[in-house]
Amino acid sequence: MVRILFFILLVLALALGFAWLADRPGELSLIWQGQLIEMSLMRAATILISLFAAILIVAWLIRTLWLSPHTVTRYFRARKRDRGYQALSTGLIAAGAGDAALARKMAGRTRGLISADQEPLIHLLEAQTALIEGKYDDARKKFELMADDPETRELGLRGLYLEAKRLGANEAARQYAERAAEKAPHLSWATLATLDQRSQAGQWDEAIRLLDQSRTANVLDKKEANRKKAVLLTARATGKLEADPKAARDDALAALKLDDRLVPAALTAAKALFREDNLRKGASVLEKVWKQDPHPELARLYVRARGGDSAVDRLKRAKRLETLRGNNAVSLATVAEAALEARELALARSKAEAAARLAPSESIFLLIADIEEADTGDEGRIRHWMAQALRSPRDPAWTADGVTSPTWLPVSPVSGRLDAFEWKEPPSPLAGTTEEGRVSVDEAIRSLPPVAPEHPVAVREAPATPKAEENGPVLEAERPIPTPTAITVPERKETAAPPSKSEGTAAEDEEAAPFFGRPPDDPGVRDGAVEDGNKASFRLF
């Protein structure tokens, strides 16, 4: 572009010069060797410029002829180099696609066309080809050569790091990552690998320092860096909680400033504040996080923040959490547990059933079973809810890489990855489990077996048939269904379903089908349901 512009300007200057001479005519006289030479000024200028152009053309021809051998050599060299780069490109594509034969062929062709000193990518192609062919020792040697070369140092260190991780040599991998992070702090893989390894070793101070350096170098974005630093501060605070509650409190509060939804940081900060007898501030920390993300561990710590509280006081604190985040399954379950401890069974049952309607889970049905045991004590109804718990989704837990932990951990014990644990439903231990057979809570409540009477019931059975008496005692499954003629049930003071609702015709019993599609396997033991004189004898053999 610059040359074209220069040429246009030159032509314009010549045109302007000739136009200026044409407007100012003149004669040029020259005496040379006794001869007088006269011509116009325009003709003289034209001859001078033509002579100058001829000299330039002759000089260009002489230079071209003089440099022609070098030009021809350079042409063939460039052609050879282009063929080599074409082979190198084809080889790298083949190596990426997993074609070991073509990659090896292109690597040999590239070696013959391009010198490895001129193009370091040849080492990469050979290393990748060796990895595809399973020649890991050759690949490691190539990576070591690249690590010694300043141009390919980072590439070689990454290859050595990946090979060390593949072999399980964590110490060697740590050294390679640290070397790469020291030479090139802008490499995200080196920074993250070093950060994970220092976190695995519990070197929280060094990990935080390295993370700050990576934030300065813009290796991580602000949100990710803040999250990781909050996790590191929480881990350090958890380690200091027993020995130095004040330092643990400062670290945990600093972590909450970086990530206000980090539940472990809120738990650690609240525990440290409770140990300093600062109950109000600790409760405010838990309430702030609870409003954003209700968590069972937050509720458990909040309700039992003060050791000397009675069950009624704990129920009041649970109701306080429900007012902060209403219509939530965790809030309702928290109130139900506290109400069960305070023996307010009606409130506990209503809250537990409401929580089960919002988010059915294993723990909520077990809680309803506990409420049933405390309220009615009916074994059939208790087993009904326990069976429903077996069919319900598992409760969320701290899960990372398919492993669950009873408490939050900053690093995964499987992969060593920082901030790997999440509060979610763990994987099912039974392969192929589905949601078939699960019913709604309302249907489960409708299919409950009737409440067993707490007092003895007098039942008079019809006499056995002669055929049954001739064959001797029979199993109870073969015995005819007794026909009750007189039933006397004392009045119950507690709130329960009246016996008349459960005593109907066979058609009414079929309409209220249990949640399994049939009556429970074991409806429970009914005390005194049969008189002593009418007890059935069993023939086992």
Side-chain angles (χ1 to χ4, degrees):
M1 185 65 185
V2 177
R3 291 183 179 182
I4 295 175
L5 182 62
F6 178 75
F7 178 75
I8 293 174
L9 292 176
L10 180 60
V11 172
L12 183 61
L14 290 174
L16 291 176
F18 279 107
W20 185 82
L21 288 176
D23 293 339
R24 293 168 179 80
E27 295 290 335
L28 180 64
S29 299
L30 178 62
I31 300 175
W32 188 56
Q33 293 182 358
Q35 294 183 0
L36 178 61
I37 301 174
E38 294 180 352
M39 65 183 68
S40 63
L41 187 59
M42 179 64 71
R43 184 179 181 184
T46 303
I47 293 174
L48 183 62
I49 293 175
S50 300
L51 180 62
F52 180 73
I55 293 173
L56 291 179
I57 292 173
V58 171
W60 175 76
L61 289 174
I62 294 174
R63 183 176 180 273
T64 301
L65 293 175
W66 180 264
L67 298 178
S68 58
H70 177 69
T71 303
V72 173
T73 304
R74 186 174 59 182
Y75 168 76
F76 285 106
R77 186 185 302 152
R79 183 183 178 189
K80 182 179 179 181
R81 184 185 61 217
D82 293 342
R83 291 171 57 197
Y85 277 110
Q86 182 64 36
L88 179 61
S89 176
T90 305
L92 290 175
I93 294 174
D99 191 349
L102 182 57
R104 175 62 64 185
K105 179 181 178 181
M106 291 297 106
R109 182 178 298 179
T110 305
R111 274 282 187 178
L113 296 174
I114 305 177
S115 175
D117 297 335
Q118 297 177 355
E119 185 50 66
L121 286 178
I122 297 178
H123 295 302
L124 176 61
L125 175 57
E126 293 177 348
Q128 293 294 333
T129 305
L131 288 176
I132 296 174
E133 295 175 345
K135 301 177 181 178
Y136 298 108
D137 293 338
D138 296 341
R140 187 166 58 253
K141 292 178 181 178
K142 290 295 181 181
F143 285 130
E144 290 175 354
L145 291 176
M146 286 189 286
D148 295 335
D149 189 354
E151 295 183 357
T152 58
R153 180 186 295 114
E154 291 79 12
L155 181 58
L157 289 175
R158 177 165 175 77
L160 292 173
Y161 168 77
L162 294 177
E163 279 299 295
K165 292 290 289 183
R166 184 186 63 82
L167 296 175
N170 295 326
E171 180 62 25
R174 182 186 64 81
Q175 294 180 5
Y176 292 136
E178 289 181 353
R179 283 179 57 187
E182 181 182 356
K183 297 296 182 181
H186 60 278
L187 294 177
S188 60
W189 69 267
T191 301
L192 294 177
T194 307
L195 187 64
D196 290 343
Q197 289 161 1
R198 290 181 179 178
S199 301
Q200 292 179 34
Q203 302 173 354
W204 310 120
D205 296 335
E206 296 181 4
I208 293 173
R209 189 181 305 111
L210 178 63
L211 183 60
D212 292 337
Q213 294 176 358
S214 65
R215 293 181 62 181
T216 304
N218 295 325
V219 176
L220 303 175
D221 58 353
K222 185 177 180 180
K223 185 177 181 180
E224 184 180 2
N226 289 340
R227 172 70 182 188
K228 290 186 178 297
K229 187 172 182 179
V231 172
L232 292 173
L233 289 173
T234 304
R236 188 170 69 178
T238 305
K240 294 180 179 179
L241 183 60
E242 298 294 335
D244 192 356
K246 184 177 180 180
R249 177 202 62 193
D250 296 338
D251 287 342
L253 292 178
L256 285 176
K257 290 181 180 179
L258 296 173
D259 188 354
D260 57 356
R261 301 176 67 92
L262 189 58
V263 173
L267 293 173
T268 304
K271 289 178 182 178
L273 290 170
F274 290 160
R275 294 195 177 191
E276 296 177 353
D277 295 332
N278 196 344
L279 184 63
R280 179 174 298 178
K281 187 174 182 180
S284 65
V285 170
L286 295 177
E287 290 175 357
K288 183 178 179 180
V289 181
W290 174 268
K291 292 178 182 178
Q292 304 180 52
D293 185 16
H295 197 278
E297 294 184 2
L298 293 175
R300 193 175 300 111
L301 182 60
Y302 184 87
V303 171
R304 303 181 180 277
R306 192 162 41 200
D309 287 349
S310 63
V312 177
D313 295 333
R314 290 194 292 269
L315 178 59
K316 292 179 180 179
R317 299 180 69 85
K319 291 181 179 179
R320 165 67 178 169
L321 290 179
E322 186 183 9
T323 58
L324 294 177
R325 189 66 182 269
N327 196 25
N328 182 268
V330 181
S331 302
L332 295 172
T334 303
V335 176
E337 291 179 4
L340 177 60
E341 293 181 2
R343 308 304 294 177
E344 295 188 13
L345 302 180
L347 176 62
R349 183 183 293 275
S350 63
K351 296 296 183 181
E353 291 178 355
R357 289 186 179 94
L358 288 176
S361 62
E362 182 180 358
S363 62
I364 192 64
F365 284 110
L366 292 177
L367 177 60
I368 297 177
D370 293 338
I371 297 172
E372 195 71 57
E373 182 179 7
D375 188 10
T376 64
D378 189 275
E379 293 293 335
R381 299 168 68 92
I382 295 172
R383 287 180 179 145
H384 171 84
W385 291 117
M386 294 180 69
Q388 191 66 22
L390 293 177
R391 291 171 171 257
S392 301
R394 300 183 64 188
D395 296 307
W398 292 112
T399 307
D401 299 324
V403 177
T404 59
S405 173
T407 58
W408 175 83
L409 297 176
V411 180
S412 171
V414 178
S415 62
R417 182 165 50 93
L418 182 65
D419 191 23
F421 276 92
E422 298 176 349
W423 183 258
K424 62 181 182 180
E425 182 180 350
S428 178
L430 300 178
T433 56
T434 62
E435 295 187 359
E436 297 180 357
R438 294 179 185 172
V439 297
S440 64
V441 182
D442 295 331
E443 185 178 352
I445 294 174
R446 288 194 301 268
S447 63
L448 276 171
V451 180
E454 296 182 353
H455 299 277
V457 179
V459 179
R460 186 172 57 195
E461 298 182 357
T465 60
K467 182 179 180 180
E469 295 296 337
E470 292 175 1
N471 297 332
V474 296
L475 297 178
E476 187 164 345
E478 302 174 355
R479 186 179 297 277
I481 300 175
T483 304
T485 57
I487 300 177
T488 303
V489 181
E491 183 180 358
R492 297 184 57 185
K493 296 181 180 181
E494 298 172 355
T495 303
S500 58
K501 293 184 180 181
S502 61
E503 297 173 1
T505 62
E508 294 177 352
D509 292 339
E510 291 178 359
E511 292 179 359
F515 64 105
F516 281 120
R518 55 182 175 80
D521 294 336
D522 188 357
V525 180
R526 299 176 183 265
D527 297 335
V530 182
E531 294 181 359
D532 295 338
N534 295 327
K535 289 184 179 180
S537 58
F538 294 87
R539 184 175 59 190
L540 299 180
F541 300 98

